[in-house]
Amino acid sequence: PGNADVTFGIKRLRQLADMVEFPFVCCNLLEASTGEPLFAPYALRKVGGVMVGIVGVTTPLADMALETTNFRAPQDAVAID
């Protein structure tokens, strides 16, 4: 989700996610209370016989609109240990 998607708050964002037939993915927007990603951080899809990973990353502006989330820098969110 981007900053415009969160204008009406986290409750509405979750409603929107439930209304669509594709997954919302975002690895760096976290629930403030748990530290867990708000949505699945990635999705896997087979495209032309090849497995493709789709990683969702949002901007810091999205976090500024939501009081119940924490933003993690994209480079930290996708880092592999």
Side-chain angles (χ1 to χ4, degrees), residues 1 17 22-28 38-45 54-58:
F22 54 86
F24 273 31
V25 291
C26 186
C27 68
N28 64 329
L38 194 58
F39 298 104
Y42 63 90
L44 297 174
R45 296 288 181 265
I54 304 163
V55 178
V57 182
T58 194

Side-chain angles (χ1 to χ4, degrees), residues 33-65:
S33 61
T34 65
E36 294 295 316
L38 194 58
F39 298 104
Y42 63 90
L44 297 174
R45 296 288 181 265
K46 191 172 269 190
V47 179
V50 176
M51 192 60 87
V52 176
I54 304 163
V55 178
V57 182
T58 194
T59 71
L61 295 175
D63 184 54
M64 292 168 50

Side-chain angles (χ1 to χ4, degrees), residues 4-16:
D5 298 317
V6 299
T7 301
F8 298 103
I10 194 169
K11 182 177 178 182
R12 180 62 179 153
L13 184 60
R14 287 179 192 249
Q15 289 172 337
L16 292 173

